[in-house]
Amino acid sequence: MADHHGGYPHFPSIARKPGPLTLWLLALIAACATSTLPKDSAPATPAPAQAVVAAPAPQPPPPPPTPVPFEQAIEKAATALFGSVAPDAAGAKRLVVIDPLIDGMTGEQTQATRLMQTRLSRIAKERYPQFDVQPFSVENLRRKPLVLIGTFTGIDGQGRTQGTREAYRICLALADLDSRTLVGKGVARAKMEGIDVTPLAYFRDSPAWALDSVTEGYIKTCQGSRVGDPMDGFYVARIVSAASVQRAIEAYDAGRYLESLEHYSVAMQAAAGDELRILNGVYLANMKLGRKDAAKVVFQRIVDFGLERKRMAVRFLFKPGSTSFVTDPQVSNAYPVWLAELAKRSAQRSACLEIVGHTSRSGPEALNERISVLRAETIKQRLEAQAPELRTRTIANGVGSRENLVGNGRDDATDALDRRVVFKVVDCAAPTA
C-alpha cells in the first residue's frame, strides 16, 4: 500500500537517536584511544618486560666461636694475632712488650691471665722469629714498640657478661706505639673447666676497687676494636706510669714490699695525679711494712678518691649467706679503720651516700636480694655509729647477684668482688630514709 505521497509505506526508523549511556560509552572509548598515543604518531611498539631482581636477603651474623680447651684457645688466638701483622719491610725484628693481660670486667690480673702471658711469650719466640719479645719496662716503651694487650672475660652462651657464665672470651691485640693504631687482633673462646681465675696477691688484697681510666682505656683498646683503629688516648698517655705500676705489683706479689713502695712512688710521679691502683698499692705496702699510721693516711686519700668520683667499691668480705665479716684477722682486722675513715671523710664533706650490697650467684636469688640489703644495712649502721650525722644522709640498698663481675658463684677468692659493698654519692635532695 502506498502512502498518500505515493511512495513506500512509512515505518518507524530502527536507528533511533543514541541514549545517554551509549553516548557516555562512545566518549570513553574515544578518550582511551586518543589519550595513549601522541598526536599524529603511530602506536608504539611495546617495551620488553624487565626482569625483577629481588633484594639480597640479609645475611645472619656468623656463629660465635666454639669454646675449646684453655690451652687450645690460647694457641688459636695467638696464631690469629701474630699471623695478622705484616712483617717489617726491611726484614728487621719488631720489638714487642706485653702489658700484662687482665680480666675484662674487673681489670685484675689472675693466675689465668699470667699463664696466658707466659704462653704468648713462648709462642712468639718459638714460632714467630720476626718478633722480639722484651720486658714491659719504661726503657723499652721509649723505643716505641708493639704493645701486646689482652682481656680474659667470663661470658654466657650469647657472649654477654651477665647471667651464668658458660665460657671465657679471649681478646688479644697488638698496638703500634709509634703510629698509635692497632696492627693485629686475635680472639677465641675457652671452656671453663680447669681454669684458675684467682686474682694475684696485690689485686686480692686491695681494699678498694674501681675501673680507673687507664684500665678502661686498656680494655677499650682491646675489645670492640679492629685493625687500623686508634689506641685509647688516655691509655697511651699513662702507659709509662703503667710500666712502673707493674714493677710495683710484681715486687708486692714476691713479698718485696719496700721495693714495691719505691716503684709506686715513681709511678705516682709519672701519673701526675692519684690513681686508685697506685693508692691501693701504697696502702698495701705500708701495711705489710708495719707502717699503720702511713697506711691510714693513704686510706683517707682512697676514700677521698671515691667521694670525688662519686662511686667506689670496698672489699668487705662477709661469711657466705651472712651479714658477719669473715673471721680471718689477716682480712678483717683493718675493717674498723676503713669504716671509721669512710664515716669521717663522708661527714666532713657532708656527702649523702647510697650504700649498695652485692652477693655472689650461689643460692636462690630471692635470698641473695635479701642478704645484699642486710649487708648494706650493716655497713650503714656501723658508719652511723661513727658519725651520727650520717643517719639522715645514707640509704641502704641491695642488688643481689644482678651486677656480678665474675659470676662463677664459687664463694671464694676468685669471686670476692661479687660480694663487694659499693658507696655511691647521691643528691642530698633525694629522700634518704
Side-chain angles (χ1 to χ4, degrees):
M1 177 187 305
D3 64 8
H4 62 284
H5 295 292
Y8 291 102
H10 175 75
F11 292 101
S13 171
I14 296 178
R16 295 188 179 94
K17 182 178 181 181
L21 178 60
T22 303
L23 292 173
W24 180 81
L25 288 171
L26 292 172
L28 181 62
I29 293 170
C32 292
T34 58
S35 63
T36 57
L37 294 174
K39 188 175 182 180
D40 299 327
S41 67
T45 303
Q50 297 292 325
V52 178
V53 180
Q59 295 297 316
T66 301
V68 296
F70 183 49
E71 294 284 350
Q72 185 178 340
I74 298 174
E75 295 269 347
K76 180 180 179 181
T79 300
L81 175 74
F82 294 123
S84 63
V85 180
D88 183 81
K93 283 192 172 186
R94 306 192 70 176
L95 176 64
V96 176
V97 299
I98 303 178
D99 190 348
L101 282 62
I102 59 176
D103 182 287
M105 289 295 291
T106 67
E108 296 183 339
Q109 298 171 35
T110 67
Q111 296 293 340
T113 63
R114 184 165 65 178
L115 178 59
M116 289 171 60
Q117 181 172 332
T118 301
R119 295 286 190 271
L120 289 168
S121 180
R122 188 188 68 190
I123 290 171
K125 290 178 180 179
E126 292 179 353
R127 305 181 197 173
Y128 297 92
Q130 66 268 37
F131 299 115
D132 178 21
V133 180
Q134 293 294 323
F136 181 62
S137 66
V138 174
E139 294 75 20
N140 284 327
L141 287 172
R142 290 181 179 139
R143 298 167 62 188
K144 301 294 181 67
L146 299 181
V147 181
L148 195 161
I149 59 177
T151 57
F152 187 66
T153 313
I155 56 175
D156 67 7
Q158 284 72 48
R160 300 171 301 186
T161 54
Q162 60 190 30
T164 302
R165 280 27 172 211
E166 300 178 19
Y168 288 107
R169 180 176 61 219
I170 295 174
C171 170
L172 304 177
L174 269 172
D176 187 337
L177 202 55
D178 189 23
S179 65
R180 300 188 177 186
T181 59
L182 262 65
V183 295
K185 195 75 181 284
V187 296
R189 292 193 182 185
K191 294 181 178 180
M192 304 194 75
E193 293 80 6
I195 301 178
D196 185 359
V197 291
T198 304
L200 301 186
Y202 158 81
F203 297 95
R204 184 184 65 239
D205 296 345
S206 291
W209 177 86
L211 279 181
D212 58 43
S213 298
V214 178
T215 306
E216 287 182 332
Y218 179 112
I219 295 172
K220 190 185 302 182
T221 300
C222 185
Q223 297 182 0
S225 60
R226 296 175 296 181
V227 172
D229 287 348
M231 301 171 68
D232 179 82
F234 196 86
Y235 169 65
V236 174
R238 296 294 179 91
I239 196 169
V240 172
S241 65
S244 295
V245 169
Q246 183 55 33
R247 292 190 68 181
I249 290 173
E250 291 170 355
Y252 180 88
D253 291 345
R256 302 191 304 271
Y257 304 120
L258 186 58
E259 178 186 338
S260 176
L261 191 59
E262 292 171 352
H263 287 306
Y264 278 122
S265 298
V266 173
M268 188 170 290
Q269 295 175 4
D274 287 349
E275 289 182 11
L276 183 58
R277 59 182 180 168
I278 297 176
L279 294 175
N280 276 334
V282 175
Y283 169 84
L284 291 174
N286 276 297
M287 286 294 290
K288 291 294 186 181
L289 292 168
R291 303 173 179 177
K292 293 186 178 180
D293 290 341
K296 181 179 177 180
V297 172
V298 179
F299 191 80
Q300 293 171 354
R301 293 176 65 178
I302 290 174
V303 175
D304 290 342
F305 178 95
L307 293 175
E308 289 167 3
R309 288 154 182 79
K310 301 187 181 300
R311 182 185 182 98
M312 183 179 68
V314 177
R315 205 182 304 248
F316 290 112
L317 297 185
F318 295 87
K319 297 177 182 177
S322 169
T323 59
S324 300
F325 293 138
V326 295
T327 55
D328 183 355
Q330 295 294 323
V331 175
S332 58
N333 272 2
Y335 291 0
V337 174
W338 295 1
L339 289 164
E341 293 304 325
L342 281 163
K344 177 183 175 181
R345 310 301 281 187
S346 299
Q348 288 177 346
R349 289 172 174 260
S350 299
C352 292
L353 301 176
E354 180 185 9
I355 304 166
V356 185
H358 294 251
T359 69
S360 63
R361 294 189 59 80
S362 62
E365 185 56 28
L367 179 60
N368 289 338
E369 293 272 355
R370 179 60 178 159
I371 290 175
S372 66
V373 173
L374 292 175
R375 288 175 175 173
E377 287 282 1
T378 297
I379 298 298
K380 181 179 186 295
Q381 292 167 9
R382 289 174 179 260
L383 293 181
E384 292 169 355
Q386 297 283 340
E389 59 267 41
L390 293 179
R391 289 174 182 164
T392 59
R393 299 212 300 268
T394 56
I395 185 172
N397 199 356
V399 296
S401 65
R402 296 197 307 272
E403 297 179 6
N404 277 183
L405 296 169
V406 180
N408 59 24
R410 296 180 186 175
D411 281 333
D412 58 17
T414 64
D415 64 344
L417 274 180
D418 288 345
R419 302 187 298 279
R420 66 199 181 276
V421 177
V422 175
F423 296 85
K424 300 179 181 178
V425 178
V426 296
D427 184 359
C428 288
T432 56

